[in-house]
PDB file of all heavy atoms in Angstrom:
ATOM      1  N   ASP A   1     -69.566-207.206-115.665  1.00  0.00           N
ATOM      2  CA  ASP A   1     -70.269-206.097-115.003  1.00  0.00           C
ATOM      3  C   ASP A   1     -71.229-205.402-115.986  1.00  0.00           C
ATOM      4  O   ASP A   1     -72.133-204.713-115.614  1.00  0.00           O
ATOM      5  CB  ASP A   1     -69.240-205.056-114.515  1.00  0.00           C
ATOM      6  CG  ASP A   1     -68.630-205.492-113.183  1.00  0.00           C
ATOM      7  OD1 ASP A   1     -69.082-206.502-112.661  1.00  0.00           O
ATOM      8  OD2 ASP A   1     -67.705-204.802-112.716  1.00  0.00           O
ATOM      9  N   ASP A   2     -70.920-205.554-117.335  1.00  0.00           N
ATOM     10  CA  ASP A   2     -71.820-204.926-118.284  1.00  0.00           C
ATOM     11  C   ASP A   2     -73.139-205.686-118.477  1.00  0.00           C
ATOM     12  O   ASP A   2     -74.058-205.144-119.029  1.00  0.00           O
ATOM     13  CB  ASP A   2     -71.126-204.856-119.678  1.00  0.00           C
ATOM     14  CG  ASP A   2     -70.622-206.190-120.151  1.00  0.00           C
ATOM     15  OD1 ASP A   2     -70.285-207.079-119.296  1.00  0.00           O
ATOM     16  OD2 ASP A   2     -70.572-206.468-121.370  1.00  0.00           O
ATOM     17  N   LEU A   3     -73.235-206.905-117.946  1.00  0.00           N
ATOM     18  CA  LEU A   3     -74.434-207.641-117.906  1.00  0.00           C
ATOM     19  C   LEU A   3     -75.150-207.428-116.579  1.00  0.00           C
ATOM     20  O   LEU A   3     -74.757-207.917-115.523  1.00  0.00           O
ATOM     21  CB  LEU A   3     -74.209-209.153-118.116  1.00  0.00           C
ATOM     22  CG  LEU A   3     -73.496-209.548-119.407  1.00  0.00           C
ATOM     23  CD1 LEU A   3     -73.237-211.058-119.470  1.00  0.00           C
ATOM     24  CD2 LEU A   3     -74.290-209.141-120.588  1.00  0.00           C
ATOM     25  N   LYS A   4     -76.163-206.577-116.594  1.00  0.00           N
ATOM     26  CA  LYS A   4     -76.768-206.101-115.372  1.00  0.00           C
ATOM     27  C   LYS A   4     -77.558-207.248-114.688  1.00  0.00           C
ATOM     28  O   LYS A   4     -77.590-207.315-113.480  1.00  0.00           O
ATOM     29  CB  LYS A   4     -77.747-204.981-115.641  1.00  0.00           C
ATOM     30  CG  LYS A   4     -76.944-203.722-116.180  1.00  0.00           C
ATOM     31  CD  LYS A   4     -77.913-202.588-116.452  1.00  0.00           C
ATOM     32  CE  LYS A   4     -77.133-201.358-117.009  1.00  0.00           C
ATOM     33  NZ  LYS A   4     -78.071-200.230-117.286  1.00  0.00           N
ATOM     34  N   ASP A   5     -78.226-208.047-115.470  1.00  0.00           N
ATOM     35  CA  ASP A   5     -79.013-209.123-114.888  1.00  0.00           C
ATOM     36  C   ASP A   5     -79.135-210.239-115.900  1.00  0.00           C
ATOM     37  O   ASP A   5     -78.557-210.181-117.009  1.00  0.00           O
ATOM     38  CB  ASP A   5     -80.393-208.663-114.460  1.00  0.00           C
ATOM     39  CG  ASP A   5     -81.115-207.844-115.560  1.00  0.00           C
ATOM     40  OD1 ASP A   5     -80.849-208.146-116.748  1.00  0.00           O
ATOM     41  OD2 ASP A   5     -81.837-206.929-115.256  1.00  0.00           O
ATOM     42  N   ALA A   6     -79.861-211.313-115.513  1.00  0.00           N
ATOM     43  CA  ALA A   6     -79.986-212.494-116.409  1.00  0.00           C
ATOM     44  C   ALA A   6     -80.753-212.124-117.692  1.00  0.00           C
ATOM     45  O   ALA A   6     -80.500-212.662-118.775  1.00  0.00           O
ATOM     46  CB  ALA A   6     -80.706-213.601-115.693  1.00  0.00           C
ATOM     47  N   VAL A   7     -81.704-211.155-117.609  1.00  0.00           N
ATOM     48  CA  VAL A   7     -82.472-210.809-118.794  1.00  0.00           C
ATOM     49  C   VAL A   7     -81.562-210.169-119.841  1.00  0.00           C
ATOM     50  O   VAL A   7     -81.631-210.509-121.004  1.00  0.00           O
ATOM     51  CB  VAL A   7     -83.624-209.814-118.413  1.00  0.00           C
ATOM     52  CG1 VAL A   7     -84.340-209.372-119.602  1.00  0.00           C
ATOM     53  CG2 VAL A   7     -84.569-210.494-117.439  1.00  0.00           C
ATOM     54  N   SER A   8     -80.694-209.262-119.452  1.00  0.00           N
ATOM     55  CA  SER A   8     -79.775-208.639-120.399  1.00  0.00           C
ATOM     56  C   SER A   8     -78.801-209.690-120.913  1.00  0.00           C
ATOM     57  O   SER A   8     -78.409-209.628-122.120  1.00  0.00           O
ATOM     58  CB  SER A   8     -79.007-207.481-119.706  1.00  0.00           C
ATOM     59  OG  SER A   8     -78.217-207.949-118.667  1.00  0.00           O
ATOM     60  N   ALA A   9     -78.379-210.686-120.109  1.00  0.00           N
ATOM     61  CA  ALA A   9     -77.507-211.683-120.597  1.00  0.00           C
ATOM     62  C   ALA A   9     -78.156-212.540-121.649  1.00  0.00           C
ATOM     63  O   ALA A   9     -77.560-212.920-122.673  1.00  0.00           O
ATOM     64  CB  ALA A   9     -77.018-212.554-119.396  1.00  0.00           C
ATOM     65  N   VAL A  10     -79.469-212.894-121.396  1.00  0.00           N
ATOM     66  CA  VAL A  10     -80.193-213.658-122.394  1.00  0.00           C
ATOM     67  C   VAL A  10     -80.326-212.881-123.674  1.00  0.00           C
ATOM     68  O   VAL A  10     -80.171-213.410-124.782  1.00  0.00           O
ATOM     69  CB  VAL A  10     -81.520-214.078-121.805  1.00  0.00           C
ATOM     70  CG1 VAL A  10     -82.427-214.703-122.915  1.00  0.00           C
ATOM     71  CG2 VAL A  10     -81.442-215.056-120.681  1.00  0.00           C
ATOM     72  N   GLY A  11     -80.663-211.592-123.593  1.00  0.00           N
ATOM     73  CA  GLY A  11     -80.803-210.773-124.778  1.00  0.00           C
ATOM     74  C   GLY A  11     -79.507-210.735-125.605  1.00  0.00           C
ATOM     75  O   GLY A  11     -79.469-210.767-126.790  1.00  0.00           O
ATOM     76  N   PHE A  12     -78.373-210.588-124.842  1.00  0.00           N
ATOM     77  CA  PHE A  12     -77.073-210.560-125.503  1.00  0.00           C
ATOM     78  C   PHE A  12     -76.828-211.835-126.233  1.00  0.00           C
ATOM     79  O   PHE A  12     -76.295-211.888-127.355  1.00  0.00           O
ATOM     80  CB  PHE A  12     -76.003-210.341-124.406  1.00  0.00           C
ATOM     81  CG  PHE A  12     -74.638-210.105-124.973  1.00  0.00           C
ATOM     82  CD1 PHE A  12     -74.205-208.810-125.351  1.00  0.00           C
ATOM     83  CD2 PHE A  12     -73.702-211.133-125.051  1.00  0.00           C
ATOM     84  CE1 PHE A  12     -72.935-208.614-125.853  1.00  0.00           C
ATOM     85  CE2 PHE A  12     -72.413-210.949-125.564  1.00  0.00           C
ATOM     86  CZ  PHE A  12     -72.069-209.653-125.989  1.00  0.00           C
ATOM     87  N   ALA A  13     -77.154-212.946-125.612  1.00  0.00           N
ATOM     88  CA  ALA A  13     -76.895-214.257-126.227  1.00  0.00           C
ATOM     89  C   ALA A  13     -77.763-214.497-127.451  1.00  0.00           C
ATOM     90  O   ALA A  13     -77.327-215.095-128.405  1.00  0.00           O
ATOM     91  CB  ALA A  13     -77.157-215.402-125.206  1.00  0.00           C
ATOM     92  N   MET A  14     -79.034-214.013-127.373  1.00  0.00           N
ATOM     93  CA  MET A  14     -79.926-214.228-128.509  1.00  0.00           C
ATOM     94  C   MET A  14     -79.391-213.531-129.784  1.00  0.00           C
ATOM     95  O   MET A  14     -79.757-213.982-130.935  1.00  0.00           O
ATOM     96  CB  MET A  14     -81.335-213.667-128.157  1.00  0.00           C
ATOM     97  CG  MET A  14     -82.035-214.475-127.140  1.00  0.00           C
ATOM     98  SD  MET A  14     -82.541-216.124-127.741  1.00  0.00           S
ATOM     99  CE  MET A  14     -83.481-216.748-126.331  1.00  0.00           C
ATOM    100  N   GLU A  15     -78.598-212.579-129.664  1.00  0.00           N
ATOM    101  CA  GLU A  15     -78.070-211.839-130.787  1.00  0.00           C
ATOM    102  C   GLU A  15     -76.735-212.496-131.331  1.00  0.00           C
ATOM    103  O   GLU A  15     -76.405-212.197-132.457  1.00  0.00           O
ATOM    104  CB  GLU A  15     -77.814-210.379-130.450  1.00  0.00           C
ATOM    105  CG  GLU A  15     -79.123-209.602-130.146  1.00  0.00           C
ATOM    106  CD  GLU A  15     -78.853-208.176-129.771  1.00  0.00           C
ATOM    107  OE1 GLU A  15     -77.662-207.768-129.700  1.00  0.00           O
ATOM    108  OE2 GLU A  15     -79.822-207.404-129.482  1.00  0.00           O
ATOM    109  N   ARG A  16     -76.027-213.199-130.407  1.00  0.00           N
ATOM    110  CA  ARG A  16     -74.697-213.576-130.747  1.00  0.00           C
ATOM    111  C   ARG A  16     -74.462-215.096-130.809  1.00  0.00           C
ATOM    112  O   ARG A  16     -73.498-215.517-131.429  1.00  0.00           O
ATOM    113  CB  ARG A  16     -73.717-212.980-129.724  1.00  0.00           C
ATOM    114  CG  ARG A  16     -73.693-211.479-129.641  1.00  0.00           C
ATOM    115  CD  ARG A  16     -72.837-211.010-128.537  1.00  0.00           C
ATOM    116  NE  ARG A  16     -71.411-211.403-128.810  1.00  0.00           N
ATOM    117  CZ  ARG A  16     -70.523-210.555-129.396  1.00  0.00           C
ATOM    118  NH1 ARG A  16     -70.942-209.412-129.891  1.00  0.00           N
ATOM    119  NH2 ARG A  16     -69.286-211.002-129.558  1.00  0.00           N
ATOM    120  N   ARG A  17     -75.301-215.892-130.194  1.00  0.00           N
ATOM    121  CA  ARG A  17     -74.971-217.343-130.148  1.00  0.00           C
ATOM    122  C   ARG A  17     -74.948-217.911-131.546  1.00  0.00           C
ATOM    123  O   ARG A  17     -75.895-217.855-132.295  1.00  0.00           O
ATOM    124  CB  ARG A  17     -76.056-218.066-129.341  1.00  0.00           C
ATOM    125  CG  ARG A  17     -75.797-218.039-127.860  1.00  0.00           C
ATOM    126  CD  ARG A  17     -74.862-219.055-127.384  1.00  0.00           C
ATOM    127  NE  ARG A  17     -75.395-220.384-127.535  1.00  0.00           N
ATOM    128  CZ  ARG A  17     -75.877-221.110-126.564  1.00  0.00           C
ATOM    129  NH1 ARG A  17     -75.902-220.592-125.297  1.00  0.00           N
ATOM    130  NH2 ARG A  17     -76.310-222.273-126.706  1.00  0.00           N
ATOM    131  N   PRO A  18     -73.843-218.480-131.948  1.00  0.00           N
ATOM    132  CA  PRO A  18     -73.675-218.998-133.342  1.00  0.00           C
ATOM    133  C   PRO A  18     -74.552-220.182-133.606  1.00  0.00           C
ATOM    134  O   PRO A  18     -74.986-220.366-134.747  1.00  0.00           O
ATOM    135  CB  PRO A  18     -72.162-219.364-133.392  1.00  0.00           C
ATOM    136  CG  PRO A  18     -71.693-219.517-131.984  1.00  0.00           C
ATOM    137  CD  PRO A  18     -72.498-218.599-131.220  1.00  0.00           C
ATOM    138  N   ASP A  19     -74.871-221.053-132.573  1.00  0.00           N
ATOM    139  CA  ASP A  19     -75.775-222.114-132.811  1.00  0.00           C
ATOM    140  C   ASP A  19     -77.144-221.640-133.121  1.00  0.00           C
ATOM    141  O   ASP A  19     -77.879-222.249-133.984  1.00  0.00           O
ATOM    142  CB  ASP A  19     -75.765-223.137-131.644  1.00  0.00           C
ATOM    143  CG  ASP A  19     -76.116-222.437-130.296  1.00  0.00           C
ATOM    144  OD1 ASP A  19     -75.991-221.202-130.221  1.00  0.00           O
ATOM    145  OD2 ASP A  19     -76.487-223.140-129.404  1.00  0.00           O
ATOM    146  N   LEU A  20     -77.601-220.578-132.480  1.00  0.00           N
ATOM    147  CA  LEU A  20     -78.887-219.966-132.754  1.00  0.00           C
ATOM    148  C   LEU A  20     -78.882-219.306-134.162  1.00  0.00           C
ATOM    149  O   LEU A  20     -79.862-219.424-134.891  1.00  0.00           O
ATOM    150  CB  LEU A  20     -79.256-218.961-131.716  1.00  0.00           C
ATOM    151  CG  LEU A  20     -80.663-218.331-131.862  1.00  0.00           C
ATOM    152  CD1 LEU A  20     -81.749-219.381-131.931  1.00  0.00           C
ATOM    153  CD2 LEU A  20     -80.905-217.394-130.659  1.00  0.00           C
ATOM    154  N   LEU A  21     -77.803-218.633-134.521  1.00  0.00           N
ATOM    155  CA  LEU A  21     -77.655-218.029-135.822  1.00  0.00           C
ATOM    156  C   LEU A  21     -77.671-219.148-136.912  1.00  0.00           C
ATOM    157  O   LEU A  21     -78.303-218.936-137.971  1.00  0.00           O
ATOM    158  CB  LEU A  21     -76.371-217.188-135.880  1.00  0.00           C
ATOM    159  CG  LEU A  21     -76.231-215.971-134.992  1.00  0.00           C
ATOM    160  CD1 LEU A  21     -74.913-215.277-135.187  1.00  0.00           C
ATOM    161  CD2 LEU A  21     -77.435-215.010-135.348  1.00  0.00           C
ATOM    162  N   ALA A  22     -77.015-220.225-136.627  1.00  0.00           N
ATOM    163  CA  ALA A  22     -77.040-221.299-137.615  1.00  0.00           C
ATOM    164  C   ALA A  22     -78.427-221.878-137.820  1.00  0.00           C
ATOM    165  O   ALA A  22     -78.820-222.152-138.895  1.00  0.00           O
ATOM    166  CB  ALA A  22     -76.066-222.412-137.172  1.00  0.00           C
ATOM    167  N   ALA A  23     -79.193-222.040-136.710  1.00  0.00           N
ATOM    168  CA  ALA A  23     -80.544-222.523-136.775  1.00  0.00           C
ATOM    169  C   ALA A  23     -81.417-221.617-137.552  1.00  0.00           C
ATOM    170  O   ALA A  23     -82.242-222.046-138.386  1.00  0.00           O
ATOM    171  CB  ALA A  23     -81.110-222.789-135.393  1.00  0.00           C
ATOM    172  N   ARG A  24     -81.304-220.346-137.278  1.00  0.00           N
ATOM    173  CA  ARG A  24     -82.073-219.334-138.023  1.00  0.00           C
ATOM    174  C   ARG A  24     -81.750-219.300-139.532  1.00  0.00           C
ATOM    175  O   ARG A  24     -82.656-219.174-140.396  1.00  0.00           O
ATOM    176  CB  ARG A  24     -81.906-217.951-137.393  1.00  0.00           C
ATOM    177  CG  ARG A  24     -82.549-217.834-136.008  1.00  0.00           C
ATOM    178  CD  ARG A  24     -82.107-216.508-135.376  1.00  0.00           C
ATOM    179  NE  ARG A  24     -82.750-216.292-134.103  1.00  0.00           N
ATOM    180  CZ  ARG A  24     -82.440-215.367-133.165  1.00  0.00           C
ATOM    181  NH1 ARG A  24     -81.430-214.502-133.468  1.00  0.00           N
ATOM    182  NH2 ARG A  24     -83.086-215.252-132.093  1.00  0.00           N
ATOM    183  N   THR A  25     -80.458-219.429-139.791  1.00  0.00           N
ATOM    184  CA  THR A  25     -80.075-219.431-141.244  1.00  0.00           C
ATOM    185  C   THR A  25     -80.569-220.606-141.968  1.00  0.00           C
ATOM    186  O   THR A  25     -81.014-220.568-143.098  1.00  0.00           O
ATOM    187  CB  THR A  25     -78.508-219.383-141.307  1.00  0.00           C
ATOM    188  OG1 THR A  25     -78.026-218.234-140.603  1.00  0.00           O
ATOM    189  CG2 THR A  25     -78.065-219.315-142.744  1.00  0.00           C
ATOM    190  N   ARG A  26     -80.506-221.810-141.244  1.00  0.00           N
ATOM    191  CA  ARG A  26     -81.014-223.028-141.898  1.00  0.00           C
ATOM    192  C   ARG A  26     -82.582-222.993-142.067  1.00  0.00           C
ATOM    193  O   ARG A  26     -83.069-223.582-143.006  1.00  0.00           O
ATOM    194  CB  ARG A  26     -80.605-224.212-141.072  1.00  0.00           C
ATOM    195  CG  ARG A  26     -79.143-224.568-141.264  1.00  0.00           C
ATOM    196  CD  ARG A  26     -78.821-225.999-140.825  1.00  0.00           C
ATOM    197  NE  ARG A  26     -77.486-226.308-141.309  1.00  0.00           N
ATOM    198  CZ  ARG A  26     -76.355-226.120-140.669  1.00  0.00           C
ATOM    199  NH1 ARG A  26     -76.381-225.474-139.488  1.00  0.00           N
ATOM    200  NH2 ARG A  26     -75.176-226.384-141.190  1.00  0.00           N
ATOM    201  N   TYR A  27     -83.218-222.274-141.188  1.00  0.00           N
ATOM    202  CA  TYR A  27     -84.654-222.073-141.353  1.00  0.00           C
ATOM    203  C   TYR A  27     -84.892-221.252-142.653  1.00  0.00           C
ATOM    204  O   TYR A  27     -85.812-221.571-143.425  1.00  0.00           O
ATOM    205  CB  TYR A  27     -85.260-221.415-140.156  1.00  0.00           C
ATOM    206  CG  TYR A  27     -86.731-221.089-140.255  1.00  0.00           C
ATOM    207  CD1 TYR A  27     -87.647-221.944-140.792  1.00  0.00           C
ATOM    208  CD2 TYR A  27     -87.190-219.798-139.861  1.00  0.00           C
ATOM    209  CE1 TYR A  27     -88.978-221.628-140.924  1.00  0.00           C
ATOM    210  CE2 TYR A  27     -88.514-219.457-139.948  1.00  0.00           C
ATOM    211  CZ  TYR A  27     -89.437-220.407-140.471  1.00  0.00           C
ATOM    212  OH  TYR A  27     -90.710-220.078-140.614  1.00  0.00           O
ATOM    213  N   ALA A  28     -84.125-220.156-142.784  1.00  0.00           N
ATOM    214  CA  ALA A  28     -84.285-219.367-143.965  1.00  0.00           C
ATOM    215  C   ALA A  28     -83.937-220.176-145.224  1.00  0.00           C
ATOM    216  O   ALA A  28     -84.571-220.051-146.289  1.00  0.00           O
ATOM    217  CB  ALA A  28     -83.385-218.115-143.871  1.00  0.00           C
TER     218      ALA A  28
END
């Protein structure tokens, strides 16, 4: 219920997804 729509869900995932965090860290 705290995810109001797909946009907020995507934003939440962009901050927390570990595979994305790993990719960003490997880029750095």
Side-chain angles (χ1 to χ4, degrees):
D1 283 354
D2 55 330
L3 300 178
K4 298 179 180 180
D5 50 31
V7 175
S8 62
V10 170
F12 187 84
M14 289 295 183
E15 297 178 357
R16 298 176 63 92
R17 276 279 292 259
D19 55 339
L20 182 56
L21 295 178
R24 290 170 176 168
T25 304
R26 285 200 165 86
Y27 174 46

